[in-house]
Amino acid sequence: MPRAATDAPWETGHTPPPPPSPTRRTGWRRAGPGVLTAAGALPAAAVLWLLALGDVHLAGMGDLGLLQVLPVTFWAALALLVVGFCVAAADRRTPHACYAAYTLLLIAVIHATPPLLYSELRYAWAWKHVAVIDAMVRHNGEVPDAAGLGIYNQWPGFFQFNALLLRTAGLESALPYALWAQVLVNVLTLGPLLLIYRSLTADRRLIWGAVWIYYSCSWVGQDYFAPQAFTFLLYTAVLALILRQLPTSRSAKRGRSSSRAWPPGLFVLLLLLEAAIITSHQLSPLMLISALVLLSLPRANRRVVRLALAAAVALNLAWYATVARPYVTENLGEFVKAVTRPEANVWSGLNRLADAPPSQVMVSWIDRGLSGGVFLLAAVACVALRWTRRTPMPLLALSPLPIALVNAYGGEMVFRAYMFALPAAAFLIAALLIPALRRPSVRTPLVCVLLPAMLGGLVFGYYSKEAMNRFSPGEVAATRYVTTQTPPGSLIISVTFAAPGLEMRYDQHERNELTGESLAAKRLLARDPVAGLAPVLGRAGNKPAYILLSRAQNADVRLNGAMPSGFTQRLESALSRSPEFTAVYRHADAVVYRFDPPSQGSFR
């Protein structure tokens, strides 16, 4: 059978993927038994998932979070999804609609489960971003610099966009839709991913196999309500535009490419996307520039990529020289220092297991195993399949590496590098694995093991810390009490960052986290909690001080080991016995103590 005329040039080399069947003649009416079986598995998986949600008891969460409370029906739904997708990918007549339905249900099962189970927004960082938007609305676009949050004035794109959305929609807060941000971001990312993969091949099974593998391996958890999620979505959109303009793309092969490198309308769209990335996040523009540098290396790409690269560099430098200049000036020395120690930058994100409990050590190694397996399989694909080396995917998979070597990014760089490499790595892995589903071979059993193993690694990375990421209504109410019912200027003390909305009205209060204290101060706190609090309380001067303790903070201490296990309970016990502290708010999941200095009377 001759190859389809729409295949890209790199697909005509050694060991190309099988040609796609004629898409126009493929539909549900011509579906074979495999397609019908796969289609029937979808509603069954959806029903199992929905039944599982009604049988989850959140109070039973322990050190493994949701993994400990999700019933058998949830895991059966996931297993049925994997089996059904494999059956679909084995049949060349499977239509796009079937693949799309499987992908959307996978997104729903993984990402809609928490918001359907929780009544409050997940992740303390998401609450912080809601607070920043609130501050921008209250201060007409400016974020007061209290507590060092003035940095958001230097990368305000994401926050200004949401502030505009609030004003336009007449909403008072971003909380209602922030709860569903992970579902929305992952659904929206599907569009650019499809455009990227369709610029490389016409094979439906390879396109959707890459999509499936991407969503099965995206465990890093940077898709919540945050600038990173917003800019990563834009990053994939930029890549989609660029890859479809390359002379080796399928659109160019079909004769759609212009005689110019960029049609004016598309180039303006590209500039807008790049500007939105550069004004919204510190790291994403650097990842984009690194990707464009590597994409510009092949001679055939330069006419298209160099224009995009020049625009990205110029916009980023202009931003550094103007709006972001305070941050760049203050941290320039750290940037230079980081460049000289690449091994420390990479290792900084992998050496945090010393004080973690055994459950989290296990989870961390599962995450590392999934990440290492993804890069290993992508490398095997490049070696085994010559045609993949003629695509831009190997370059894009490697593009985060230069940035990872020159900046630790607070110990998170290695995980962010994985996140930006995953779209390309997923395509390479699909090229290696998906053909084994088309016809039985020695690789078929391996693929049937690897696909569920990927999804298993994802759920460990996603759900294992829910004891500290989930907040109950009582915890939210306790935080709202200390941020709205205490005198302006009060010092609010928490053990860790795991509290929902402590940054709300942050410009009206002082904040302190005990885990951020020096090692000597934390040792004193561990020996004698009340005596250890004295130096912290002394910073309040004559102003009131409130100590917030909660279930999520206790879980944070237990899971991350920043303080000895049981510290939060011992601190609460000590405060309840001390006459200098009065419980002013109490709930099963949270308690607030007010500090009453004997020499100054009680703060009311």
Side-chain angles (χ1 to χ4, degrees), residues 375-386:
F375 286 119
L376 177 61
L377 288 172
V380 171
C382 288
V383 173
L385 305 174
R386 184 189 302 174

Side-chain angles (χ1 to χ4, degrees), residues 488-500:
S490 300
L491 173 63
I492 300 174
I493 301 171
S494 63
V495 179
T496 75
F497 182 68

Side-chain angles (χ1 to χ4, degrees), residues 555-572:
D556 189 0
V557 168
R558 188 173 67 252
L559 297 179
N560 292 323
M563 295 293 289
S565 181
F567 169 75
T568 306
Q569 295 97 318
R570 291 195 300 109
L571 175 59
E572 181 180 355

Side-chain angles (χ1 to χ4, degrees), residues 243-302:
L243 293 186
R244 291 180 69 83
Q245 285 299 115
L246 294 181
T248 49
S249 71
R250 289 182 56 242
S251 59
K253 185 70 174 177
R254 289 194 297 264
R256 293 184 184 176
S257 61
S258 168
S259 59
R260 295 167 291 188
W262 284 94
L266 276 183
F267 192 67
V268 169
L269 176 60
L270 177 77
L271 292 179
L272 291 175
L273 292 174
E274 289 184 342
I277 293 172
I278 289 165
T279 60
S280 297
H281 199 246
Q282 303 100 309
L283 176 63
S284 298
L286 302 181
M287 289 293 188
L288 175 61
I289 289 172
S290 180
L292 296 181
V293 167
L294 266 66
L295 280 179
S296 68
L297 295 179
R299 185 183 300 274
N301 295 350
R302 293 174 186 172

